[in-house]
Amino acid sequence: MGLFSKKPPCPICGGKISWFLPSKIEGEYICDTCYGKIDMDADKASQLTMQGFREYLAFYNQNQLLKDQFVISQRIDFGLWDTKIIFDHQNKLFCMSRSPDKTVFEAGQLKSFTIKEDSAPLFEGSAEGIRRYASTVPERAMAMAPLISQFMMSRQMARTLDRLDDGKANGTAPMQYFDVPEPFHTFNVELHFDHPYWTVIQCDMDGPQFDHTHPDVNDYLRSYQRSIEEIEQLVAAFRTVAFPDAPDQSIGPGTAQAVHATMIPPTDAIEEIKKYKVLMEDGVISQPEFEAKKRQLLGI
Ligand SMILES: [Zn+2]
């Protein structure tokens, strides 16, 4: 078979098959136009049969009606390659693209979503509720301040030494870069569907980074805050479109700390109690004396 040998027409539309790397389903050549309509989970696409493809095209044509009626009320950009997501608040639709040219999802098809900072949950949403977890990122970023001032001092020192001879930068000192891992790397967004062709869509949004030559906690926190605002917009849009009645739940540091203070005694109190328990077991103090000490240490 030569390069210009005739291929049979597309079995779906009768169109011409591309001469360059034509796509195949179950060994049959499919034209680019038909094949280009495939927009589904990668594992589903890889297992597509001709029969399955025909059924998908019926779904695709049905979905075209939603594309036609789509009115963009909100567009959110996020992701490494500038992923966009558009929402149609009126018709309760959304689509993972800059215009409704990919699968359009209906509100009821979104089962839930999660947004994490690396593996730590930040938001979890479903019809049951929209839960926001307190982030430890700002706290952890602030805890890096001593490390950063140490870096800046050592950098300053290197520059001073470099200029010592003649007051000019001689470039003898190696350039120092702040190379400490950030409190987290990415916001992981995961959408779970109840849909014939989609189970899950995952996308990432880069977390903020320290400047490698002039790291600054406040710069980091400002950039983190901007990302959080985008994430909040995304959550609000999912709420409007898919989960309008979902109650808000906040798993905040306030709640967590309050629980901590009332429920869990400080570790040193427990250590103390253990010591008194040994004293009681050794017969140095009586059980009532131990009990009294225990209550005192636990503040009960
Ligand atoms: Zn075709």
Side-chain angles (χ1 to χ4, degrees), residues 151-152 155 159 175-178 210-215:
F151 166 81
M152 290 309 280
R155 193 165 175 271
R159 282 162 59 133
M175 188 63 176
Q176 294 184 49
Y177 292 100
F178 187 68
F210 282 108
D211 188 288
H212 288 300
T213 52
H214 293 86

Side-chain angles (χ1 to χ4, degrees), residues 28-239:
E28 279 194 72
Y29 289 118
I30 304 292
C31 81
D32 288 349
T33 312
C34 289
Y35 200 81
K37 291 176 178 174
I38 297 178
D39 181 35
M40 62 177 80
D41 270 343
D43 60 331
K44 288 194 165 73
S46 69
Q47 290 161 19
L48 208 55
T49 60
M50 277 306 280
Q51 175 59 25
F53 186 47
R54 284 177 204 276
E55 284 164 14
Y56 170 76
L57 289 173
F59 160 83
Y60 180 89
N61 291 334
Q62 203 60 36
N63 206 252
Q64 187 60 48
L65 302 175
L66 297 180
K67 288 174 187 165
D68 294 342
Q69 71 177 97
F70 203 105
V71 181
I72 301 174
S73 20
Q74 192 177 4
R75 175 184 280 126
I76 297 172
D77 301 349
F78 63 105
L80 198 52
W81 291 284
D82 210 15
T83 313
K84 314 255 183 222
I85 178 164
I86 47 172
F87 291 89
D88 175 345
H89 293 182
Q90 195 66 41
N91 295 307
K92 307 269 181 214
L93 305 170
F94 68 98
C95 177
M96 308 287 289
S97 186
R98 60 167 57 240
S99 60
D101 53 1
K102 290 195 177 162
T103 302
V104 169
F105 295 101
E106 294 170 87
Q109 292 170 333
L110 183 68
K111 257 197 327 200
S112 64
F113 67 86
T114 60
I115 302 172
K116 294 177 186 166
E117 289 172 335
D118 287 346
S119 59
L122 186 62
F123 282 100
E124 280 172 2
S126 70
E128 319 276 277
I130 294 182
R131 191 175 284 193
R132 181 178 190 152
Y133 292 84
S135 172
T136 58
V137 166
E139 204 180 300
R140 283 185 290 139
M142 284 186 271
M144 290 173 77
L147 205 64
I148 290 173
S149 23
Q150 203 179 17
F151 166 81
M152 290 309 280
M153 270 164 64
S154 114
R155 193 165 175 271
Q156 189 56 45
M157 183 82 81
R159 282 162 59 133
T160 310
L161 288 174
D162 185 41
R163 286 162 195 262
L164 216 52
D165 291 342
D166 49 9
K168 286 188 209 137
N170 296 301
T172 48
M175 188 63 176
Q176 294 184 49
Y177 292 100
F178 187 68
D179 194 18
V180 175
E182 274 78 14
F184 78 110
H185 295 287
T186 40
F187 292 102
N188 298 309
V189 180
E190 231 176 69
L191 311 179
H192 296 266
F193 292 93
D194 186 6
H195 192 278
Y197 297 102
W198 291 99
T199 313
V200 61
I201 293 182
Q202 287 171 302
C203 30
D204 291 347
M205 178 170 136
D206 280 352
Q209 292 190 335
F210 282 108
D211 188 288
H212 288 300
T213 52
H214 293 86
D216 183 282
V217 172
N218 287 327
D219 286 348
Y220 180 90
L221 291 175
R222 265 191 293 275
S223 148
Y224 176 71
Q225 187 52 35
R226 277 195 298 275
S227 302
I228 287 292
E229 280 159 20
E230 282 172 52
I231 297 278
E232 284 168 349
Q233 276 183 34
L234 184 67
V235 171
F238 281 130
R239 167 197 293 287

Side-chain angles (χ1 to χ4, degrees), residues 10 12-15 31 34:
C10 173
I12 302 292
C13 69
C31 81
C34 289

Side-chain angles (χ1 to χ4, degrees), residues 134 250-266:
S250 174
I251 317 288
T255 342
Q257 271 166 15
V259 168
H260 192 82
T262 52
M263 305 294 291
I264 307 163

